[in-house]
Amino acid sequence: MIAQSVISQYRPSRGLLLFAACTFFAATAAGQVGSSIETPATTNKDTAVDLAPLAVATIKQVAFADRDPMATQFSDDGVSFRGVVIALIVQTAFLPQVALYDSKDDRIVGLPGWTKSERYDVEAKVDYEDVPKWKALSLTQKSLALQPLLVKRFNLQFHHEARERPTYSLVVAKNGPKLHKAQPGETYPNGIAGPDSAGGRGGAIVTPGKIVLQGSGLSVLANLLSSQGLSHAVVDKTGLTDLYDITLRWSPADVGSSDASLPSLFTALQEQLGLKLEYEKNPVDIIVIDHIGKPSEN
């Protein structure tokens, strides 16, 4: 199970989203009243997520400078966004494994300009009786639960298209993989921990130049690599279906404090994991935004 409370921070000036497990206390501004999120009468089938629903949400436009950080916090009873652009929430809802908000990511197309410039605070909670169910969800499932919120409060309409895109394929290197298989029943007591201090499968820490995964498939690694400053998305073509414990360290080119003794990402993949990236074109699932409007009143 992935750590249940996650905080991430994106700094536009550096293009980084720091993603790590931690606890977070979130409070709604005093006197602010949230509105109920009802299931829309008609929605795209992909928004019909059978998960603990986010029942109440408060959305407020705020004044932020372009370089001010955007923060996302998943807690035990909901999710909070602070000073974020709506495009970040859309990416979180549809590309939940991506650890970096990238305004140029071409896997989501059709977002109007205001979704990438105006900043908002968003506080969404589940009903009290749904808290245990929400806590049991993985981070990916919690992220998918944002789709009904976008449909209800932003009148989001969208569809999927398969389009050929330049990509990197993650494949096994010439000398074979160097991967540590996750052990059945492993609880990771000394690993990535949730707010109850208990570790679990599916945990992830992503910081500049480092990815740590516990009990995860290589498709998760591919998605995370897509957000590490590469020019194209990464598609898992290793053919390996087991779950692995992975630690990958490299020297990110766009961070001034990079450790020069570490290899590049391409070299680190081969040396540390026995994997490599190959450039080619692949069909990629594209989210096409047909309509998104300003948020309805609280």
Side-chain angles (χ1 to χ4, degrees):
M1 182 182 298
I2 198 162
Q4 293 304 315
S5 186
V6 174
I7 180 170
S8 58
Q9 187 177 77
Y10 170 74
R11 292 186 177 276
S13 60
R14 298 178 67 187
L16 300 175
L17 179 66
L18 306 183
F19 177 58
C22 66
T23 52
F24 172 75
F25 173 78
T28 305
Q32 206 168 19
V33 179
S35 66
S36 173
I37 302 173
E38 302 171 358
T39 302
T42 302
T43 69
N44 185 299
K45 63 181 176 64
D46 296 293
T47 68
V49 183
D50 185 21
L51 304 169
L54 292 164
V56 177
T58 301
I59 303 171
K60 181 177 67 173
Q61 188 172 355
V62 293
F64 268 75
D66 287 343
R67 287 179 172 266
D68 287 344
M70 297 185 281
T72 302
Q73 298 92 15
F74 282 88
S75 61
D76 283 348
D77 61 353
V79 58
S80 299
F81 296 93
R82 293 287 180 265
V84 305
V85 293
I86 299 305
L88 181 148
I89 301 180
V90 173
Q91 178 177 285
T92 302
F94 289 96
L95 304 175
Q97 297 290 358
V98 174
L100 169 66
Y101 166 64
D102 183 356
S103 62
K104 297 180 181 179
D105 193 320
D106 63 359
R107 287 171 293 176
I108 300 177
V109 299
L111 284 169
W114 68 267
T115 66
K116 301 178 182 180
S117 59
E118 296 181 3
R119 300 287 198 101
Y120 289 84
D121 286 349
V122 178
E123 184 85 20
K125 301 285 188 181
V126 298
D127 285 333
Y128 177 78
E129 59 268 24
D130 286 328
V131 168
K133 185 177 180 180
W134 176 262
K135 291 173 68 175
L137 299 178
S138 69
L139 180 59
T140 295
Q141 291 170 323
K142 290 177 179 178
S143 298
L144 293 174
L146 291 166
Q147 293 183 23
L149 183 151
L150 291 166
V151 171
K152 171 63 179 179
R153 298 299 302 276
F154 294 87
N155 194 24
L156 175 67
Q157 300 171 26
F158 67 95
H159 67 277
H160 292 263
E161 290 184 8
R163 298 183 183 179
E164 194 172 69
R165 287 281 193 270
T167 64
Y168 286 112
S169 292
L170 182 67
V171 299
V172 175
K174 180 179 179 180
N175 294 326
K178 305 173 183 179
L179 298 167
H180 179 266
K181 287 186 181 180
Q183 299 303 310
E186 174 63 75
T187 59
Y188 304 96
N190 300 315
I192 301 168
D196 58 358
S197 298
R201 287 195 173 197
I205 292 180
V206 182
T207 56
K210 185 176 182 180
I211 293 176
V212 179
L213 297 174
Q214 292 176 343
S216 295
L218 292 182
S219 60
V220 175
L221 175 63
N223 280 324
L224 293 176
L225 289 173
S226 298
S227 64
Q228 299 307 309
L230 298 173
S231 55
H232 307 297
V234 178
V235 178
D236 175 25
K237 287 195 172 183
T238 61
L240 302 176
T241 58
D242 290 313
L243 300 180
Y244 300 95
D245 298 333
I246 294 171
T247 298
L248 178 66
R249 297 189 65 205
W250 71 96
S251 179
D254 59 347
V255 179
S257 59
S258 297
D259 185 346
S261 66
L262 292 173
S264 69
L265 176 56
F266 289 83
T267 302
L269 277 167
Q270 294 202 46
E271 292 181 347
Q272 299 170 29
L273 303 182
L275 305 175
K276 65 178 182 178
L277 296 175
E278 293 183 341
Y279 176 83
E280 60 184 13
K281 288 189 176 182
N282 284 297
V284 176
D285 181 40
I286 305 297
I287 308 298
V288 181
I289 304 302
D290 301 308
H291 175 78
I292 187 169
K294 297 294 181 71
S296 58
E297 294 185 2
N298 294 318

